[in-house]
């Protein structure tokens, strides 16, 4: 008992020393602040949207009520629907997710048919029946639902059928351990959230969370910069522009322009970038040259995925002054 307690206290002491070394606990973070004009209504919307995105509906409702923001109900509705489906996925019920995928086929699929995400949901339902009910039930489900996907996902369907031969073994002892992984439910939940946010015109990551994380990464060099400027008799708060570039990591780098990988031309209002179902991006003129018609199905030049020019999503890059 004494030996284990000693080891615990030793680990805690090491952790405290590492924490003190990594962070200056005496630093005054207010010294890195500058007075900036904010659009208060926009800031309130960003905060409310973050809370709704995280499923903190009661807190978000209280915040919007105190802020007297009129657009809360309209902002709240799609996130309520999103979290309702997510909750069902976490309870291993894919019915609402499948219904959502069927309702949004026109936006999820290049030809308006069954999408790859919908197939992934059916595949998980099949595997759930195979491992939790019976081989006969799984086979019946496959016969009923896999037909519309055979043109695009035949290889995946063949692998799923192969699982039938190993249903009496542990997943790790089969060639299909990746399909039977216990993380598959969480992966589907994340994919649903990503798809739903995309259809709402929102990024998967919360803009507020990204901004706070980037600010946290920039804080130590800003404090160091402030200290150096004070020694030289300068005031960071008086600067309209930072004298040095603050590195925050590639995960926080967002491009305001796009150059088509096919034509090498920069996108314009007349030649905007379009998102393909495979998540590759091409400019509209390049797409039309490849497809030769707005209604003709074409293959992505970087992968085998097919798409149609009249069913692609427009990407908008913000202007930078």
């Amino acid at each position: 008992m004494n030996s284990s307690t000693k080891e615990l206290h030793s680990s805690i002491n090491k952790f405290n020393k590492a924490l003190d070394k990594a962070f200056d606990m005496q630093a005054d973070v207010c010294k890195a602040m500058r007075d900036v004009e904010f659009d208060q209504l926009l800031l309130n919307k960003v905060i409310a949207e973050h809370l709704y995105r995280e499923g903190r509906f009661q807190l978000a409702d209280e915040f919007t009520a105190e802020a007297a923001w009129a657009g809360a109900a309209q902002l709240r509705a799609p996130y309520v629907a999103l979290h309702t489906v997510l909750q069902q996925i976490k309870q291993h019920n894919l019915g609402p997710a499948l219904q959502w995928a069927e309702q949004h086929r026109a936006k999820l699929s290049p030809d308006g048919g069954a999408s790859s995400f919908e197939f992934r949901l059916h595949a998980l339902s099949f595997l759930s029946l195979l491992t939790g009910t019976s081989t006969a039930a799984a086979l019946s489900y496959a016969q009923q639902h896999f037909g519309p996907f055979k043109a695009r996902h035949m290889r995946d369907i063949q692998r799923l059928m192969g699982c039938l031969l190993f249903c009496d073994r542990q997943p790790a002892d089969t060639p299909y351990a990746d399909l039977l992984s216990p993380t598959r439910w969480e992966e589907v939940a994340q994919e649903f959230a990503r798809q739903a946010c995309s259809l709402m015109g929102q990024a998967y990551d919360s803009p507020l969370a990204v901004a706070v994380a980037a600010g946290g990464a920039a804080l130590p060099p800003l404090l160091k910069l402030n200290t150096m400027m004070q020694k030289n008799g300068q005031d960071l708060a008086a600067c309209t522009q930072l004298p040095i570039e603050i590195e925050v990591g590639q995960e926080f780098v967002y491009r305001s322009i796009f150059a088509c990988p096919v034509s090498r031309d920069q996108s314009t209002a007349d030649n905007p970038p379009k998102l393909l179902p495979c998540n590759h991006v091409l400019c509209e003129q390049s797409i039309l040259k490849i497809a030769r018609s707005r209604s003709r199905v074409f293959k992505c030049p970087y992968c085998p995925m097919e798409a149609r020019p009249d069913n692609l999503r427009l990407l908008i890059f913000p202007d930078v002054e």
Side-chain angles (χ1 to χ4, degrees):
M1 181 70 178
N2 290 335
S3 176
S4 61
T5 304
K6 183 178 179 180
E7 184 178 350
L8 174 63
H9 284 289
S10 175
S11 299
I12 292 176
N13 289 333
K14 290 180 180 179
F15 174 76
N16 288 333
K17 291 179 181 179
L19 192 63
D20 291 337
K21 186 177 180 180
F23 301 98
D24 183 2
M25 307 306 288
Q26 303 300 321
D28 183 3
V29 297
C30 294
K31 293 180 179 179
M33 295 177 59
R34 295 189 299 165
D35 291 333
V36 179
E37 293 185 4
F38 284 105
D39 183 335
Q40 192 61 48
L41 290 177
L42 180 60
L43 183 60
N44 290 343
K45 179 182 178 181
V46 170
I47 295 173
E49 186 166 21
H50 172 78
L51 294 173
Y52 285 133
R53 180 192 296 261
E54 296 295 315
R56 306 289 298 275
F57 295 107
Q58 182 177 355
L59 181 59
D61 290 341
E62 292 177 358
F63 171 78
T64 53
E66 291 184 10
W69 186 54
Q74 184 177 0
L75 184 65
R76 186 184 197 271
Y79 288 108
V80 170
L82 184 152
H83 280 278
T84 299
V85 177
L86 276 179
Q87 189 62 33
Q88 291 299 311
I89 293 176
K90 291 176 181 179
Q91 296 175 4
H92 292 192
N93 176 18
L94 293 175
L98 282 166
Q99 184 178 5
W100 179 89
E102 291 172 0
Q103 290 174 349
H104 296 87
R105 280 180 174 178
K107 296 181 179 179
L108 293 174
S109 175
D111 57 3
S115 65
S116 296
F117 177 62
E118 187 177 342
F119 171 73
R120 189 173 183 181
L121 293 172
H122 280 301
L124 184 54
S125 295
F126 167 83
L127 293 170
S128 181
L129 289 171
L130 180 62
T131 57
T133 306
S134 68
T135 303
L139 184 59
S140 175
Y141 186 91
Q143 292 172 337
Q144 183 178 357
H145 296 285
F146 283 175
F149 303 97
K150 61 183 180 181
R152 293 183 184 174
H153 297 279
M154 179 54 72
R155 176 59 180 163
D156 297 317
I157 293 173
Q158 289 171 344
R159 294 197 71 216
L160 290 169
M161 293 300 100
C163 293
L164 295 169
L165 303 175
F166 298 90
C167 60
D168 57 343
R169 298 187 188 180
Q170 292 296 322
D173 298 331
T174 74
Y176 307 103
D178 58 318
L179 296 178
L180 301 171
S181 170
T183 63
R184 61 189 186 275
W185 287 95
E186 182 61 29
E187 292 170 357
V188 163
Q190 291 177 357
E191 179 64 18
F192 167 74
R194 191 181 304 276
Q195 295 280 0
C197 287
S198 176
L199 293 189
M200 286 189 288
Q202 299 294 330
Y204 174 65
D205 296 317
S206 165
L208 180 60
V210 171
V212 170
L219 187 57
L222 282 174
L223 290 172
K224 185 177 181 179
L225 173 63
N226 179 71
T227 301
M228 295 176 62
M229 292 183 67
Q230 284 183 338
K231 290 180 180 179
N232 295 326
Q234 299 174 315
D235 185 9
L236 177 63
C239 295
T240 58
Q241 184 174 343
L242 291 176
I244 63 172
E245 184 176 350
I246 303 296
E247 297 290 342
V248 293
Q250 287 298 315
E251 65 271 24
F252 300 114
V253 176
Y254 296 90
R255 305 297 181 185
S256 58
I257 61 174
F258 173 77
C260 178
V262 173
S263 64
R264 308 296 182 186
D265 294 332
Q266 184 173 317
S267 63
T268 63
D270 296 327
N271 185 27
K274 295 289 189 72
L275 178 67
L276 277 62
C278 53
N279 289 328
H280 288 122
V281 181
L282 305 176
C283 279
E284 185 176 45
Q285 291 180 7
S286 297
I287 293 171
L288 293 177
K289 286 180 180 179
I290 296 172
R292 301 180 182 178
S293 170
R294 289 189 177 275
S295 59
R296 185 170 177 265
V297 175
F298 70 98
K299 281 190 176 182
C300 171
Y302 295 97
C303 72
M305 183 71 75
E306 293 183 340
R308 216 172 68 179
D310 59 358
N311 200 26
L312 302 180
R313 192 168 303 153
L314 176 68
L315 291 185
I316 299 175
F317 291 82
D319 294 330
V320 177
E321 299 180 352

